[in-house]
Amino acid sequence: MPKGYWIAHVDVRDAEQYKAYVAANAKPLAEFGGRFLARGGRFENPEGSARSRNVVIEFPTYQAALDCWNSPGYQAAIKLRQPVSVADIVIVEGYDGPQPGQ
């Protein structure tokens, strides 16, 4: 079964208040097996538009990624994030097929 991923591009308007969201999302992310692959950090934006913060979270399955998003715990965390940030977030199913050169 393919893994699932959250891919988020975020502009944080109030870093101090955003910390409450980070603290609140820890429990639901752990509960559904979420694992940060990218969390802020340096980036280049060679094409298209970007936001100041990029996050990639891996889940054991696509369904786990969806279930985490829809969980009461994460929905409560979202309410802390939305007033202090703007985000574009997609939940995507991983790919486990042929790779270039195979």
Side-chain angles (χ1 to χ4, degrees), residues 1-32:
M1 179 172 282
K3 293 183 179 187
Y5 298 88
W6 289 7
I7 302 171
H9 306 285
V10 185
D11 285 331
V12 177
R13 292 189 300 256
D14 185 332
E16 205 52 42
Q17 292 296 317
Y18 192 80
K19 290 177 184 178
Y21 161 71
V22 171
N25 75 25
K27 185 176 179 183
L29 289 175
E31 179 182 345
F32 291 93

Tab-separated table of all heavy atoms in Angstrom, residues 1-32:
chain	number	residue	atom	x	y	z
A	1	MET	N	0.848	-1.180	0.000
A	1	MET	CA	0.000	0.000	0.000
A	1	MET	C	0.896	1.246	0.000
A	1	MET	O	1.788	1.365	0.828
A	1	MET	CB	-0.894	-0.029	1.239
A	1	MET	CG	-1.802	1.168	1.342
A	1	MET	SD	-3.011	1.030	2.668
A	1	MET	CE	-4.188	-0.053	1.903
A	2	PRO	N	0.667	2.190	-0.918
A	2	PRO	CA	1.506	3.386	-1.005
A	2	PRO	C	1.396	4.270	0.230
A	2	PRO	O	0.345	4.344	0.878
A	2	PRO	CB	0.960	4.127	-2.220
A	2	PRO	CG	0.182	3.122	-2.987
A	2	PRO	CD	-0.317	2.140	-1.978
A	3	LYS	N	2.478	4.940	0.521
A	3	LYS	CA	2.485	5.906	1.613
A	3	LYS	C	1.663	7.117	1.216
A	3	LYS	O	1.310	7.299	0.055
A	3	LYS	CB	3.916	6.314	1.939
A	3	LYS	CG	4.719	5.173	2.514
A	3	LYS	CD	6.109	5.619	2.884
A	3	LYS	CE	6.857	4.428	3.471
A	3	LYS	NZ	8.164	4.829	3.995
A	4	GLY	N	1.363	7.953	2.205
A	4	GLY	CA	0.665	9.207	1.967
A	4	GLY	C	1.530	10.356	2.435
A	4	GLY	O	2.366	10.192	3.333
A	5	TYR	N	1.332	11.515	1.824
A	5	TYR	CA	2.146	12.689	2.148
A	5	TYR	C	1.284	13.930	2.252
A	5	TYR	O	0.361	14.110	1.460
A	5	TYR	CB	3.204	12.918	1.061
A	5	TYR	CG	4.160	11.776	0.948
A	5	TYR	CD1	3.876	10.697	0.118
A	5	TYR	CD2	5.332	11.739	1.692
A	5	TYR	CE1	4.734	9.608	0.018
A	5	TYR	CE2	6.202	10.657	1.601
A	5	TYR	CZ	5.896	9.606	0.762
A	5	TYR	OH	6.745	8.536	0.679
A	6	TRP	N	1.600	14.764	3.219
A	6	TRP	CA	1.079	16.127	3.243
A	6	TRP	C	2.198	16.994	2.695
A	6	TRP	O	3.350	16.893	3.128
A	6	TRP	CB	0.796	16.608	4.653
A	6	TRP	CG	-0.359	15.990	5.357
A	6	TRP	CD1	-1.137	14.954	4.951
A	6	TRP	CD2	-0.834	16.371	6.649
A	6	TRP	NE1	-2.080	14.668	5.902
A	6	TRP	CE2	-1.921	15.529	6.954
A	6	TRP	CE3	-0.462	17.334	7.561
A	6	TRP	CZ2	-2.630	15.630	8.153
A	6	TRP	CZ3	-1.163	17.434	8.751
A	6	TRP	CH2	-2.241	16.600	9.051
A	7	ILE	N	1.868	17.851	1.758
A	7	ILE	CA	2.818	18.822	1.239
A	7	ILE	C	2.200	20.190	1.502
A	7	ILE	O	1.108	20.489	1.005
A	7	ILE	CB	3.082	18.611	-0.254
A	7	ILE	CG1	3.606	17.187	-0.495
A	7	ILE	CG2	4.068	19.666	-0.771
A	7	ILE	CD1	3.695	16.797	-1.949
A	8	ALA	N	2.894	20.981	2.317
A	8	ALA	CA	2.361	22.276	2.737
A	8	ALA	C	3.331	23.395	2.401
A	8	ALA	O	4.536	23.250	2.588
A	8	ALA	CB	2.086	22.263	4.237
A	9	HIS	N	2.786	24.486	1.924
A	9	HIS	CA	3.528	25.721	1.672
A	9	HIS	C	2.839	26.783	2.525
A	9	HIS	O	1.643	27.028	2.345
A	9	HIS	CB	3.493	26.093	0.193
A	9	HIS	CG	3.954	24.970	-0.687
A	9	HIS	ND1	5.267	24.607	-0.819
A	9	HIS	CD2	3.252	24.117	-1.454
A	9	HIS	CE1	5.362	23.576	-1.634
A	9	HIS	NE2	4.146	23.256	-2.032
A	10	VAL	N	3.593	27.377	3.443
A	10	VAL	CA	2.985	28.199	4.489
A	10	VAL	C	3.703	29.540	4.615
A	10	VAL	O	4.936	29.594	4.598
A	10	VAL	CB	3.040	27.463	5.853
A	10	VAL	CG1	2.310	28.257	6.929
A	10	VAL	CG2	2.478	26.051	5.748
A	11	ASP	N	2.936	30.605	4.804
A	11	ASP	CA	3.445	31.898	5.239
A	11	ASP	C	2.927	32.115	6.656
A	11	ASP	O	1.708	32.119	6.880
A	11	ASP	CB	2.952	33.038	4.348
A	11	ASP	CG	3.648	33.080	2.998
A	11	ASP	OD1	4.820	32.649	2.912
A	11	ASP	OD2	3.018	33.552	2.032
A	12	VAL	N	3.843	32.259	7.592
A	12	VAL	CA	3.483	32.469	8.997
A	12	VAL	C	3.510	33.963	9.281
A	12	VAL	O	4.534	34.616	9.074
A	12	VAL	CB	4.458	31.712	9.932
A	12	VAL	CG1	4.121	31.987	11.382
A	12	VAL	CG2	4.420	30.220	9.640
A	13	ARG	N	2.392	34.495	9.760
A	13	ARG	CA	2.303	35.924	10.068
A	13	ARG	C	2.681	36.225	11.514
A	13	ARG	O	3.081	37.342	11.817
A	13	ARG	CB	0.884	36.424	9.793
A	13	ARG	CG	0.527	36.420	8.322
A	13	ARG	CD	-0.788	37.127	8.058
A	13	ARG	NE	-1.898	36.509	8.757
A	13	ARG	CZ	-2.820	35.724	8.185
A	13	ARG	NH1	-2.744	35.464	6.899
A	13	ARG	NH2	-3.797	35.219	8.890
A	14	ASP	N	2.513	35.271	12.409
A	14	ASP	CA	2.826	35.475	13.827
A	14	ASP	C	3.535	34.222	14.340
A	14	ASP	O	2.887	33.245	14.736
A	14	ASP	CB	1.541	35.743	14.607
A	14	ASP	CG	1.776	36.094	16.060
A	14	ASP	OD1	2.808	35.656	16.644
A	14	ASP	OD2	0.927	36.792	16.637
A	15	ALA	N	4.854	34.254	14.335
A	15	ALA	CA	5.650	33.075	14.699
A	15	ALA	C	5.403	32.633	16.138
A	15	ALA	O	5.397	31.430	16.427
A	15	ALA	CB	7.135	33.367	14.485
A	16	GLU	N	5.182	33.564	17.019
A	16	GLU	CA	4.955	33.213	18.427
A	16	GLU	C	3.645	32.451	18.596
A	16	GLU	O	3.588	31.426	19.266
A	16	GLU	CB	4.977	34.487	19.275
A	16	GLU	CG	5.340	34.292	20.713
A	16	GLU	CD	6.634	33.512	20.943
A	16	GLU	OE1	7.636	33.714	20.250
A	16	GLU	OE2	6.614	32.663	21.862
A	17	GLN	N	2.588	32.918	17.972
A	17	GLN	CA	1.295	32.233	18.051
A	17	GLN	C	1.302	30.917	17.279
A	17	GLN	O	0.600	29.976	17.634
A	17	GLN	CB	0.181	33.143	17.531
A	17	GLN	CG	-0.087	34.334	18.412
A	17	GLN	CD	-0.593	33.923	19.781
A	17	GLN	OE1	-1.434	33.046	19.921
A	17	GLN	NE2	-0.048	34.554	20.807
A	18	TYR	N	2.109	30.837	16.228
A	18	TYR	CA	2.215	29.611	15.422
A	18	TYR	C	2.746	28.452	16.265
A	18	TYR	O	2.433	27.297	16.010
A	18	TYR	CB	3.120	29.881	14.225
A	18	TYR	CG	3.095	28.809	13.160
A	18	TYR	CD1	2.072	28.746	12.228
A	18	TYR	CD2	4.108	27.854	13.070
A	18	TYR	CE1	2.046	27.777	11.235
A	18	TYR	CE2	4.096	26.889	12.085
A	18	TYR	CZ	3.070	26.856	11.172
A	18	TYR	OH	3.046	25.899	10.199
A	19	LYS	N	3.527	28.759	17.285
A	19	LYS	CA	4.068	27.722	18.176
A	19	LYS	C	2.960	26.913	18.838
A	19	LYS	O	3.131	25.725	19.103
A	19	LYS	CB	4.981	28.342	19.225
A	19	LYS	CG	6.275	28.863	18.653
A	19	LYS	CD	7.117	29.526	19.732
A	19	LYS	CE	8.373	30.134	19.139
A	19	LYS	NZ	9.172	30.825	20.160
A	20	ALA	N	1.820	27.533	19.108
A	20	ALA	CA	0.688	26.810	19.700
A	20	ALA	C	0.174	25.746	18.736
A	20	ALA	O	-0.181	24.629	19.141
A	20	ALA	CB	-0.425	27.785	20.082
A	21	TYR	N	0.135	26.074	17.453
A	21	TYR	CA	-0.265	25.096	16.440
A	21	TYR	C	0.725	23.939	16.380
A	21	TYR	O	0.335	22.771	16.347
A	21	TYR	CB	-0.386	25.771	15.070
A	21	TYR	CG	-0.353	24.798	13.923
A	21	TYR	CD1	-1.433	23.948	13.676
A	21	TYR	CD2	0.763	24.714	13.095
A	21	TYR	CE1	-1.388	23.037	12.621
A	21	TYR	CE2	0.801	23.813	12.045
A	21	TYR	CZ	-0.276	22.979	11.824
A	21	TYR	OH	-0.236	22.077	10.785
A	22	VAL	N	2.016	24.246	16.373
A	22	VAL	CA	3.049	23.209	16.316
A	22	VAL	C	2.902	22.256	17.500
A	22	VAL	O	2.972	21.038	17.342
A	22	VAL	CB	4.455	23.845	16.267
A	22	VAL	CG1	5.533	22.793	16.425
A	22	VAL	CG2	4.628	24.610	14.955
A	23	ALA	N	2.664	22.800	18.675
A	23	ALA	CA	2.487	21.958	19.867
A	23	ALA	C	1.217	21.109	19.754
A	23	ALA	O	1.217	19.927	20.108
A	23	ALA	CB	2.439	22.826	21.118
A	24	ALA	N	0.149	21.696	19.227
A	24	ALA	CA	-1.138	20.984	19.138
A	24	ALA	C	-1.141	19.909	18.058
A	24	ALA	O	-1.880	18.929	18.171
A	24	ALA	CB	-2.264	21.982	18.882
A	25	ASN	N	-0.326	20.067	17.012
A	25	ASN	CA	-0.383	19.059	15.951
A	25	ASN	C	0.481	17.838	16.261
A	25	ASN	O	0.352	16.812	15.598
A	25	ASN	CB	-0.053	19.663	14.584
A	25	ASN	CG	1.423	19.956	14.354
A	25	ASN	OD1	2.324	19.360	14.932
A	25	ASN	ND2	1.683	20.895	13.470
A	26	ALA	N	1.328	17.912	17.260
A	26	ALA	CA	2.247	16.804	17.558
A	26	ALA	C	1.514	15.502	17.881
A	26	ALA	O	1.882	14.439	17.368
A	26	ALA	CB	3.178	17.185	18.704
A	27	LYS	N	0.485	15.572	18.700
A	27	LYS	CA	-0.214	14.350	19.103
A	27	LYS	C	-0.934	13.673	17.931
A	27	LYS	O	-0.753	12.476	17.709
A	27	LYS	CB	-1.184	14.634	20.247
A	27	LYS	CG	-1.839	13.389	20.790
A	27	LYS	CD	-2.724	13.675	21.980
A	27	LYS	CE	-3.374	12.389	22.462
A	27	LYS	NZ	-4.296	12.633	23.567
A	28	PRO	N	-1.758	14.393	17.147
A	28	PRO	CA	-2.407	13.704	16.031
A	28	PRO	C	-1.418	13.201	14.981
A	28	PRO	O	-1.609	12.119	14.413
A	28	PRO	CB	-3.381	14.728	15.454
A	28	PRO	CG	-3.053	16.025	16.073
A	28	PRO	CD	-2.272	15.758	17.306
A	29	LEU	N	-0.350	13.952	14.716
A	29	LEU	CA	0.634	13.476	13.747
A	29	LEU	C	1.259	12.171	14.225
A	29	LEU	O	1.387	11.210	13.457
A	29	LEU	CB	1.711	14.531	13.504
A	29	LEU	CG	1.263	15.765	12.725
A	29	LEU	CD1	2.392	16.780	12.652
A	29	LEU	CD2	0.771	15.407	11.345
A	30	ALA	N	1.625	12.103	15.490
A	30	ALA	CA	2.213	10.875	16.039
A	30	ALA	C	1.203	9.730	16.026
A	30	ALA	O	1.542	8.596	15.687
A	30	ALA	CB	2.720	11.126	17.455
A	31	GLU	N	-0.025	10.032	16.368
A	31	GLU	CA	-1.080	9.005	16.425
A	31	GLU	C	-1.274	8.312	15.081
A	31	GLU	O	-1.537	7.111	15.018
A	31	GLU	CB	-2.391	9.662	16.865
A	31	GLU	CG	-3.567	8.719	16.934
A	31	GLU	CD	-4.858	9.428	17.334
A	31	GLU	OE1	-4.813	10.574	17.820
A	31	GLU	OE2	-5.923	8.822	17.139
A	32	PHE	N	-1.115	9.055	13.986
A	32	PHE	CA	-1.335	8.492	12.653
A	32	PHE	C	-0.030	8.158	11.931
A	32	PHE	O	-0.034	7.876	10.745
A	32	PHE	CB	-2.208	9.428	11.824
A	32	PHE	CG	-3.631	9.482	12.332
A	32	PHE	CD1	-4.018	10.445	13.243
A	32	PHE	CD2	-4.557	8.527	11.935
A	32	PHE	CE1	-5.318	10.478	13.739
A	32	PHE	CE2	-5.857	8.551	12.418
A	32	PHE	CZ	-6.238	9.526	13.328
